[in-house]
Amino acid sequence: MTLPANVRGYFELLSGLAIGGNGAATMITSHEESRGRKRSRRQPLWPLYLVLFMLLLSAVVLAFVTGRYPVPPLIALRIFLYPVTGGEADWTATAETVVWEIRLPRIAGALLVGASLAAAGTTYQCIFRNPLVSPAILGASQGAAFGASLALLLRLSWSGVMGMAMASGILATSATALIGRHLGSGSMITLVLAGLVVAAVFNALVAVVQYIADPLDVLPSITFWLMGSLNRIGNDDLGIIGVPIALMLAQLYAFRWHINVLGADNDAARALGVNAALVSGVAIAGATVLTALAVSVSGIVGWVGLVVPHIARFLVGPNFDRLLPISALTGGLFLLAMDTLARSVATQELPLGVVTSLVGAPFFAIVLGRARRHWF
Amino acid sequence: MAALVASDVSFTHAGNVAPTLRGISIRAEAGGVLCLLGPNGSGKTTLLRCLVGLQGGGAGIEIDGRPLSSFSEGERARRIAYVPQHGAAVFPYTLADIAVLGRTPHLGSFTVPSPDDWRIALDSLGRLGIGHLANHPFNLSSGGERQLALIARAIAQDAATIVLDEPTASLDFANQTRILDIIAGLATQGRTLVFSTHDPDHALAAATQAVLLKHGLVLAQGDVAHVVNDLTLSALYDVPVRLVSLGAGDDGFGPMTVCFPVRRSSRLGKSHNLREN
């Protein structure tokens, strides 16, 4: 929707020039003139939300009926509604287990992880005013992966894995931000390079963990989890990550306008009444915790946090207040679609991280090609 | 009455040995236009950023008789607006998106601009003659349009004092004049304006008061008519400067004073050309 607005802007520019060659000489136009040109400021978003929700619903239905064990859509729906409606259960116990214990947590997990990564990527891009960054590029994912794999090595509990992932992710993001600031903020590439350095260090640390892990039980689980996968998520995990993810998304949403001000004009934000240090702290911490939560259940699922913010910005423009919810919805939809693809494209399931890379990387190349002239 | 007072403001940038500002004391009268005049590197930008609290933590600055540091971020932004020299948006924000940022200090916590706030932002753009560009991307706009959008943001901010950092820099001839007219126009509406420039003509054209800044020190300050003259300008720029007063013209415009740097080649009595030098 950005595009039509911009195109209209160009037409108005042209018509404005055509109306009066001496238009530039008018210093202060009267109120009446500007009022005559006024139109409703922002296009309503409900049609877009409607489309996204319908796509989401179709993706969820598709995901429920896709898989090795066939469950017809109607049966899946009836199994799903059985606790509410009651009635006769004319399906196998296996079908019930598949719907409730396998597909439901996986679908909900895909939505939560996708929304978290996309929201985190959108926030990072806005706060750092850099369209090239994402949780993975800033090293937050690798940092969280190191913390989580260390916790797995030490056989810590679930909360230990998440806590370590968060602590290590925040450490990595802070390191990237500090190195980026030290190198100077003249170029967008600086922060990307700083993230590269930090990610390399944490990748090496993950390799150390893998090297000393027990090759019989801990190592395979770390390795498979690192590739990015949702197939270990159970209903109990959802409860554990669902609440903090909702809290973090709410926190980012509460600060959406001040984050937008920082994204639009970092330098003058304080002169606009924004507590820049507080807001960037809240935003970066929120995005990093979301990343760590996603990584602790799904490993490193790359590209979602880089590509989805660009799709969302294409749909609703750069203002963070509209971008955040659209980005989170699109991220959930994107990851659910990718996971369903990963489960169904071959006889054996592909790791989710591999699929998102295969789809996301070429997509980002196209995005870069289209937008290059504005960014570099 | 003074709207904005700086008392003995000093500032040294991190990593620098030499201070950028050395004990500056200035005052901007309410409803007046104060011009900071000085060569590049004289500390104009640093002083302006100190005045709005972006640097130096507001030490030594008073707005309406109250210390700047005693205001909350929001209170401060409702009293004093800042127009930076280079607005640069990375993402394709429109001019309206930029202008509505000025409504930020008037918003409740955790809320976004209301339709009324958007109307105020669009009005501000309209008053500067760029209402028709409201949906045009800021980062594809010309330097003059960007400067106007940033001034519109300050107008939407609805602060009594507006501080502008080199608002005429990197603008073409016509747009420079346009911005100076807007500055003078805003002052007639009762606002206090402070702007910096390295061009004495801009002080003569738009300002009521001037502060001449050199190497972080105040060389002279006071009414433009008294302070901006051949002697002070020559000392300020280390170049001989001559002021010329023009009478009222046939074109209906009143008298004005302009200034020229005097080139050595124009000295009389010696036949100057480059080869002799």
Side-chain angles (χ1 to χ4, degrees):
Chain A
M1 314 232 157
T2 330
L3 208 58
N6 291 351
V7 171
R8 211 169 60 224
Y10 289 121
F11 277 119
E12 278 163 13
L13 172 68
L14 291 175
S15 63
L17 288 175
I19 287 168
N22 60 350
T26 321
M27 311 306 171
I28 298 180
T29 321
S30 68
H31 274 282
E32 282 65 34
E33 189 175 330
S34 65
R35 199 159 290 146
R37 290 177 173 279
K38 205 158 298 161
R39 73 198 76 81
S40 73
R41 169 47 217 148
R42 298 179 122 186
Q43 287 128 335
L45 284 187
W46 65 264
L48 181 60
Y49 275 113
L50 194 68
V51 170
L52 280 178
F53 272 117
M54 277 163 58
L55 284 173
L56 204 60
L57 198 66
S58 336
V60 167
V61 170
L62 194 65
F64 263 116
V65 301
T66 303
R68 193 97 50 84
Y69 189 90
V71 181
L74 218 55
I75 298 289
L77 185 68
R78 284 175 56 206
I79 293 175
F80 205 63
L81 294 178
Y82 182 66
V84 186
T85 56
E88 196 188 344
D90 57 353
W91 49 79
T92 62
T94 318
E96 197 169 317
T97 310
V98 164
V99 169
W100 276 112
E101 302 297 326
I102 298 174
R103 289 188 191 157
L104 173 67
R106 185 151 187 169
I107 289 166
L111 295 178
L112 282 175
V113 169
S116 301
L117 291 173
T122 307
T123 307
Y124 285 134
Q125 290 185 1
C126 192
I127 281 292
F128 290 117
R129 302 198 308 146
N130 191 330
L132 305 178
V133 300
S134 72
I137 283 177
L138 290 172
S141 298
Q142 292 80 356
F146 167 68
S149 52
L150 192 63
L152 290 177
L153 179 72
L154 301 173
R155 296 171 198 275
L156 296 184
S157 66
W158 240 116
S159 51
V161 173
M162 286 200 310
M164 294 275 281
M166 274 181 220
S168 179
I170 286 176
L171 185 72
T173 315
S174 315
T176 301
L178 284 177
I179 294 172
R181 190 182 296 174
H182 179 70
L183 292 177
S185 52
S187 157
M188 289 176 191
I189 302 297
T190 311
L191 195 64
V192 175
L193 293 177
L196 195 76
V197 171
V198 171
V201 169
F202 279 95
N203 273 334
L205 291 175
V206 168
V208 171
V209 171
Q210 286 178 295
Y211 187 73
I212 56 180
D214 182 348
L216 288 181
D217 62 348
V218 178
L219 179 61
S221 75
I222 292 179
T223 307
F224 193 65
W225 164 82
L226 276 178
M227 274 193 272
S229 171
L230 289 167
N231 64 0
R232 294 186 343 146
I233 295 185
N235 279 326
D236 42 346
D237 305 330
L238 288 178
I240 298 173
I241 65 160
V243 174
I245 285 179
L247 283 177
M248 287 300 118
L249 289 175
Q251 174 182 316
L252 292 177
Y253 188 73
F255 282 88
R256 63 201 183 283
W257 184 256
H258 280 193
I259 293 175
N260 183 49
V261 176
L262 278 179
D265 194 339
N266 188 298
D267 179 53
R270 279 193 299 146
L272 292 165
V274 173
N275 187 336
L278 173 76
V279 174
S280 35
V282 162
I284 293 172
T288 307
V289 169
L290 281 173
T291 304
L293 289 166
V295 167
S296 61
V297 290
S298 65
I300 295 182
V301 180
W303 297 96
V304 180
L306 186 60
V307 167
V308 172
H310 286 278
I311 299 175
R313 203 172 290 117
F314 177 76
L315 291 173
V316 296
N319 285 291
F320 186 78
D321 56 318
R322 314 182 107 198
L323 203 48
L324 180 70
I326 294 292
S327 185
L329 264 180
T330 313
L333 175 64
F334 178 79
L335 199 61
L336 180 57
M338 290 302 111
D339 187 50
T340 309
L341 195 66
R343 290 196 289 130
S344 59
V345 74
T347 47
Q348 199 190 354
E349 182 184 324
L350 296 175
L352 177 58
V354 174
V355 178
T356 57
S357 298
L358 287 175
V359 174
F363 185 90
F364 191 65
I366 296 169
V367 170
L368 274 183
R370 281 174 54 96
R372 195 166 48 103
R373 67 191 179 108
H374 304 316
W375 291 345
F376 302 113
Chain B
M1 187 202 147
L4 184 61
V5 177
S7 320
D8 196 22
V9 172
S10 297
F11 188 83
T12 308
H13 282 283
N16 283 13
V17 182
T20 307
L21 301 177
R22 310 160 194 245
I24 304 267
S25 298
I26 62 170
R27 48 193 289 132
E29 300 300 328
V33 180
L34 175 69
C35 175
L36 289 188
L37 195 56
N40 292 334
S42 56
K44 298 188 297 290
T45 295
T46 308
L47 179 55
L48 289 182
R49 291 175 66 89
C50 284
L51 288 180
V52 293
L54 287 178
Q55 266 163 2
I61 313 291
E62 282 184 9
I63 301 181
D64 302 331
R66 251 181 77 185
L68 188 64
S69 50
S70 73
F71 291 104
S72 74
E73 309 261 346
E75 278 179 324
R76 192 183 64 201
R78 284 192 290 274
R79 284 161 195 264
I80 186 162
Y82 174 66
V83 179
Q85 188 176 349
H86 301 290
V90 173
F91 297 111
Y93 288 95
T94 64
L95 296 193
D97 292 335
I98 295 295
V100 85
L101 296 177
R103 299 304 298 162
T104 305
H106 300 276
L107 300 177
S109 35
F110 309 138
T111 59
V112 298
S114 66
D116 274 342
D117 291 315
W118 284 101
R119 206 169 300 128
I120 292 169
L122 289 179
D123 267 342
S124 309
L125 290 172
R127 285 172 62 181
L128 300 182
I130 49 169
H132 58 291
L133 297 176
N135 285 340
H136 193 68
F138 182 79
N139 51 7
L140 296 183
S141 301
S142 71
E145 287 159 3
R146 286 188 204 199
Q147 194 66 53
L148 287 170
L150 291 172
I151 295 175
R153 183 174 83 184
I155 294 172
Q157 199 168 333
D158 200 19
T161 305
I162 301 180
V163 171
L164 308 95
D165 188 6
E166 301 245 6
T168 52
S170 70
L171 296 188
D172 63 26
F173 199 63
N175 274 315
Q176 288 184 359
T177 312
R178 222 175 148 192
I179 298 284
L180 291 172
D181 266 318
I182 287 165
I183 288 173
L186 287 170
T188 60
Q189 295 166 8
R191 289 190 176 84
T192 308
L193 282 102
V194 181
F195 76 101
S196 64
T197 179
H198 55 259
D199 190 336
D201 278 336
H202 295 170
L204 291 166
T208 55
Q209 297 205 297
V211 171
L212 274 52
L213 209 60
K214 188 177 186 182
H215 301 316
L217 289 164
V218 173
L219 201 67
Q221 62 178 316
D223 290 344
V224 170
H226 294 125
V227 179
V228 181
N229 57 46
D230 308 26
L231 281 175
T232 53
L233 290 182
S234 302
L236 186 63
Y237 292 104
D238 294 322
V239 169
V241 175
R242 185 184 291 176
L243 261 65
V244 179
S245 289
L246 306 173
D250 300 336
D251 51 6
F253 291 104
M256 59 189 288
T257 306
V258 291
C259 97
F260 297 95
V262 182
R263 287 190 304 275
R264 286 170 46 174
S265 56
S266 62
R267 183 177 286 178
L268 296 173
K270 275 186 188 174
S271 69
H272 256 273
N273 61 43
L274 289 173
R275 203 172 297 142
E276 273 183 0
N277 286 330

